[in-house]
Amino acid sequence: MREGCAVKLGLYIHIPFCRSKCSYCAFVSAAPRDDQEMDRYVNAVMTHIRASSNMARNRELSTIFFGGGTPSLIGGKRLALLLECIFETFSIADNVEITLEANPESATAELFQHLTPLGLNRVSLGVQSMHDEELKQLGRIHSVATVERAASAIREAGIPNVSMDLIFALPGQTVRRWEDTLQKILRLTPDHLSVYGLSFEEGTLFHRLNQKGRLEPVLDETYVRMYNRTRDLLTTYGFWHYEISNWSRPDRECRHNLIYWNQDEYLAFGAAAHGLFDGIRHAFISEKETYVRFHEQHQKQRDRLYFNPELLAEYKRLDVEEMASDVMIYGLRLIKGVSIDRFINRFGYSPRDRWQEAIDKFERQNLLEQKEEYLRLTPQALLISNEVLQYFLD
Ligand code: SF4
């Protein structure tokens, strides 16, 4: 079975380690105490992978994604062990996309020496800004010079698909300053860009400062101008806007993230990792010590399961209606929209049969439109997408 005829299956591995906490970050991650903690975590994830060999019978992995946290922090040797374990356990499609999220300070030539021979072909580099003082404000531990060194190391390693993450709408940021970051990043010739507006998530330093009135978001009008400038500039440079926050060169879309947006299936491994498999939305516990201990204690047991109840923080078998809702909510994030034909094939009815009133309303307001067989958000709706998407929850 090869791509095209195989049902796509993704695999996500969560690496919950970061050198330090960024001021805006609400993800599950913490600094590793020592090498041993990282070794134990990698061993636990490998045990979990091996215990799941029966999950993907007759299926091939089309994407593998190391996310975090900072996966590059654990080093090439540990990541190579994980990749080899995945290769030994599952069937892999010939053109599998293998992505590593990396931060500039740990994206080194040495890291890639371990991984390119194993087929690593996509790196997603957390850049965020091309101004040192903004990086400091965000609590990032790298500088612009480190970004440039990392970009060279990635290219010299021969990685064919390089993505970079950026954040706009930083407190005090001007449109001109944001545009300067974009211009500088374009000189590094990325193939893909993920561009997110800053949000003040609960549990972050930025949220606390904002609550105390010590940090103000940019004005809505500035936010909109920054987003629109991003779209215009990246289009001029030949990027294809394919998701609300993502742009790519032709054929360089993130195939793994497309699995999420299309609500196709993916397995997940690691503390706090989320998956969707066999119609079951699930998440593993975020306490990494508990996750590790469980696997250390059950290493030799034969009937260990992927869905072990002791490891699950969420386990929900989606009914058809919930699945259809998710297909709309995630799919409308794609600029191309949701294929009505594919939706009918999957669920046996058209989105209009269920959400006629909401669709009519948003079409009248010029927030939704149908283009050929796709129902999609209009450009005006991209920045207020949640206002539209929430109507597809029920
Ligand atoms: S490096 Fe990424 S995951 Fe880690 S704290 Fe910063 S934003 Fe969060």
Side-chain angles (χ1 to χ4, degrees), residues 35-47:
D35 279 357
Q36 202 205 356
E37 189 185 8
M38 291 189 276
D39 289 338
R40 286 179 64 221
Y41 185 77
V42 167
N43 280 329
V45 173
M46 291 198 296
T47 304

Side-chain angles (χ1 to χ4, degrees), residues 264-278:
D264 291 323
E265 296 197 314
Y266 56 103
L267 296 170
F269 295 95
H274 288 63
L276 178 67
F277 188 77
D278 214 8

Side-chain angles (χ1 to χ4, degrees), residues 17-18 20-22 24-27 29 68-70 103 128 140:
F17 299 114
C18 288
S20 65
K21 200 75 191 161
C22 302
Y24 57 92
C25 177
F27 291 133
S29 71
T70 309
N103 274 337
Q128 317 312 354
R140 305 289 297 183

